[in-house]
Amino acid sequence: MGKFILDGQEIGFKPGQTIIEAAKEVGVDIPHFCWHPSLSVSGNCRVCLVEVEKMPKLAIACATQASEGMVVHTESTKALSARQAVMEFLLINHPLDCPICDEAGECKLQDYTFSHSVGESRFTEEKQHKEKRVPLGPHVMFDGDRCISCSRCIRFCDEIAGESELTFVNRGDRVTIQTFPGKELKNPYSLCVTDICPVGALTNRDFRFKARVWDMSNTSSVCPGCSRGCNVDVWVRSNEILRLTPRENEEVNNVWMCDEGRLNTWKHVNAGDRVDGPQIRRGEGLSKATWDEIYSKASAELHGFTANEIAFIGSARSTVEDNHLLAKLANHLHCKNIDFPRHIVPGSGDKILRKEDKTPNSAGALAAGISPVKDGLAFEEIMTAVKSHKIKALVVVEEDIAAMDEKYATALKQLQLLVVLASNFNATTELAHIVIPAATWTEKNGVFINFEGRAQRIRPAVATEQMDRSLDGFSMSRLDKFGTKFDRWGNYKKYDARPVWRIFLDLGHLLGLKAKFEFAEDVWEDFTKHSPGFHGITYDELGEMGLTVKKNYI
Amino acid sequence: MAVKKRMKDFTLMEKIYLPSIVAGLSITLQNMFKPKYTMEYPEVKFMPSGHYRGRPVLVQEEDGGERCVACGLCSRVCPALAIDIQAAETEREKERYPERFEINMLRCIFCGLCEEVCPEEAIVMSKEYEIAFTNRQDAIYGKDKLLTPIADLQERIEFLRNNK
Ligand code: SF4
Ligand code: SF4
Ligand code: SF4
Ligand code: SF4
């Protein structure tokens, strides 16, 4: 490891590292637009110009390799004036669009204009006008005026997504971005370009104009779209999810996530078909009941069956905590028929991020003991046994079994007792005798274990009826902090739903289960005591990034 | 040390009070014939000039649309959190408009910061000061109450331009 001097401070570098990379490692952020740590070096924005002693001209820090004894100045008069000049150039044709631009508030150009430019333009001529509001594909909107031609989006498609869809056309101040003839920007990761575009030239059509970034809170969580478990931020305003963005974690997803996960994993949380409060079948339809009513009814009815007549279906969409309590309850009732359905979609994976297992927690469900006990029935066998009346009572957690297969739906009709824990009404709740509203992945604490055995925390971003944003330690926006119930934004809908583990805990108490947990963390602690691979790992240790556990333990 | 003047030290003229009463009455008399500064509100209404900061309103263009692009800056700068906006897309060139724009008049403190920050000159302080309601819900003014034809706001807009 060599050493060079950056702004009077000696710092180390690995052979081949550029100045910008070495500086980043010691926490010095040299201004940059086109350089991105995960993309190739393009060196076109010129904003990272630094002064290197003994070099005749200023050098771009993103493409100049650090070398032994080099003396670099990022704040010298020469470097500063070059940076200011570059900013002035970039702003010549950039429109004053911030009021109508979704990027405002998280825009690199705004930030750098604030910190690195003189704040005045000498350009009085008419600005170049280009096409605005151009849909480049199903998810991405392009604004030609705002593009600063950094080529990050082009390089992303070429190098990361592996599908060349974008290119520059024209030259000089007319240069703009276009898709190749006959192509659209629709690779499975297309929305990542909206994250890396340093300005508001590429924006998310799904999120377009929904909210200002400073009005939302963001919560660190994990995408439940597949067994990769990409780290995400959940953005919420007025208790409503508005978008997901990837959160950097080099071990899992780097800074990317797929469009499917970004767009389709949370819409059900805001949807109109949420199960709001417990429901009991009275005659044909379901009607609302109190929690006490359904707990006592469910426990009384379960009492009426022998252990062999009952089966439990867990879910790889639920957390480790949820499944742990389910397994505990099944064990307490000496029920051996416990399993969870797999959601493997062959051909839906790739080498980038997406996995074929479309659930986030298969490994966690297994680790929590959701698999048939010796002589117990597995999922398919349970369904056959339901059909042949051997299983008479079934408890289903967060799975829409009736929608998976026509024959399952017919089978479920044979049951004497069907208890369904679900967040939204679906084909299975249609057939249920008791529907218990389950909190979604954005409304509870818990852990998902991904395909590699990495345990990662999810956190509540949306409050349910029993939760309070400030008392329960939610991430809070300015509006959350100062709103009252008389303000529209503070007077939001909260659903009456509870985390699956809490439902099984309360139900378990009525069935004689002796367990005492206050928080999800207590359930996790109990789980780690019984799972050798996780001994002593606390929520704090999992932190924001999670921990990988040796595979042979799960 | 100054000696305090006591009652018994008054001169004769002071003791009989009359000259002071006459002096006082003459001021009253003089003022009876000077122009009046008070008004018989509410029969007579105060008409402020352009400098006055009455309740904030939204500028309505001649074509009937709002000028506001729902950028949210007024809502962000408002120290009282009085403004709540939901933006949406429009076919017009400006791309976005406020689908919902509400000012909670119970929160507003008439500071005028919203007007100052607006990049579009779309929200201005009007001359209206008669704001009363009997419940919290009525205090939330929506677009129906906020949109004001630009012609009625000329005086304020000119005042703003002259006093940048
Ligand atoms: S890209 Fe940034 S600087 Fe340009 S209009 Fe959008 S927010 Fe403003
Ligand atoms: S659209 Fe964005 S990412 Fe692509 S070149 Fe322009 S500024 Fe860069
Ligand atoms: S006048 Fe002041 S308090 Fe009233 S809405 Fe505007 S910024 Fe808010
Ligand atoms: S600052 Fe002006 S343009 Fe922006 S939302 Fe407020 S009124 Fe509309």
Side-chain angles (χ1 to χ4, degrees), chain A residues 416-449:
Chain A
Q416 289 176 22
L417 176 67
L418 174 59
V419 180
V420 178
L421 282 70
S423 58
N424 298 61
F425 287 109
N426 54 35
T428 312
T429 61
E430 293 266 300
L431 306 170
H433 301 104
I434 299 175
V435 180
I436 311 183
T440 63
W441 65 281
T442 57
E443 293 161 328
K444 60 187 175 190
N445 273 301
V447 174
F448 286 154
I449 301 177

Side-chain angles (χ1 to χ4, degrees), chain A residues 91 94-99 101-105 107-110 113 146 198-201:
Chain A
L91 292 171
H94 194 82
L96 257 180
D97 257 2
C98 308
C101 176
D102 263 344
E103 189 83 358
C107 172
K108 247 178 147 47
L109 190 60
Q110 272 186 335
T113 303
R146 296 178 198 153
V199 291

Side-chain angles (χ1 to χ4, degrees), chain A residues 142 147-154 168 177 196-199 201-202:
Chain A
F142 174 65
C147 173
I148 57 166
S149 309
C150 71
S151 83
R152 272 184 175 190
C153 53
I154 302 178
F168 280 134
I177 295 283
I196 56 169
C197 178
V199 291
L202 297 171

Side-chain angles (χ1 to χ4, degrees), chain A residues 535-548:
Chain A
H535 262 320
I537 297 180
T538 61
Y539 268 15
D540 277 351
E541 267 178 277
L542 293 181
E544 296 271 314
M545 298 301 191
L547 270 182
T548 305

Side-chain angles (χ1 to χ4, degrees), chain A residues 238-486:
Chain A
S238 290
N239 215 33
E240 193 184 343
I241 306 177
L242 297 177
R243 67 167 182 182
L244 294 192
T245 53
R247 180 163 57 87
E248 183 169 355
N249 188 341
E250 259 181 60
E251 306 284 318
V252 183
N253 56 314
N254 198 355
V255 291
W256 320 118
M257 76 183 291
C258 75
D259 293 355
E260 180 65 25
R262 189 188 305 245
L263 297 173
N264 298 332
T265 50
W266 49 272
K267 300 261 159 87
H268 65 287
V269 180
N270 304 339
D273 63 351
R274 283 294 297 272
V275 182
D276 194 10
Q279 318 272 332
I280 275 184
R281 183 161 301 280
R282 296 199 174 95
E284 268 298 285
L286 290 166
S287 60
K288 257 197 162 174
T290 66
W291 285 91
D292 285 344
E293 260 178 83
I294 53 136
Y295 282 149
S296 51
K297 187 167 161 73
S299 61
E301 297 219 352
L302 279 173
H303 253 310
F305 300 98
T306 65
N308 293 334
E309 292 169 343
I310 306 178
F312 289 95
I313 294 181
S315 173
R317 296 195 174 111
S318 307
T319 61
V320 171
E321 290 80 351
D322 295 341
N323 283 311
H324 178 63
L325 261 166
L326 172 63
K328 249 183 141 61
L329 181 65
N331 185 29
H332 172 73
L333 298 174
H334 305 294
C335 173
K336 295 173 179 169
N337 312 318
I338 174 168
D339 200 3
F340 66 96
R342 309 307 199 264
H343 296 274
I344 313 284
V345 182
S348 69
D350 58 28
K351 291 207 174 67
I352 307 169
L353 293 175
R354 295 181 305 155
K355 305 295 290 178
E356 291 183 344
D357 179 355
K358 293 298 164 206
T359 55
N361 196 29
S362 296
L366 284 173
I370 307 296
S371 53
V373 186
K374 191 165 170 293
D375 307 329
L377 305 177
F379 176 67
E380 283 291 340
E381 295 160 347
I382 292 176
M383 292 316 291
T384 322
V386 168
K387 197 167 172 223
S388 57
H389 300 264
K390 274 198 205 99
I391 297 282
K392 298 189 174 121
L394 187 67
V395 178
V396 179
V397 182
E398 296 197 89
E399 290 286 352
D400 189 2
I401 295 178
M404 283 164 65
D405 198 323
E406 191 60 37
K407 67 175 196 268
Y408 295 162
T410 343
L412 291 177
K413 290 184 190 139
Q414 319 287 322
L415 286 164
Q416 289 176 22
L417 176 67
L418 174 59
V419 180
V420 178
L421 282 70
S423 58
N424 298 61
F425 287 109
N426 54 35
T428 312
T429 61
E430 293 266 300
L431 306 170
H433 301 104
I434 299 175
V435 180
I436 311 183
T440 63
W441 65 281
T442 57
E443 293 161 328
K444 60 187 175 190
N445 273 301
V447 174
F448 286 154
I449 301 177
N450 82 351
F451 76 104
E452 290 176 311
R454 190 180 188 84
Q456 309 189 94
R457 286 278 319 277
I458 60 165
R459 293 174 183 77
V462 175
T464 57
E465 216 166 72
Q466 291 195 315
M467 291 197 274
D468 179 278
R469 296 194 82 86
S470 64
L471 297 179
D472 290 307
F474 280 52
S475 134
M476 306 243 285
S477 69
R478 194 178 62 113
L479 296 178
D480 295 329
K481 281 185 198 140
F482 302 112
T484 70
K485 64 180 197 297
F486 302 114

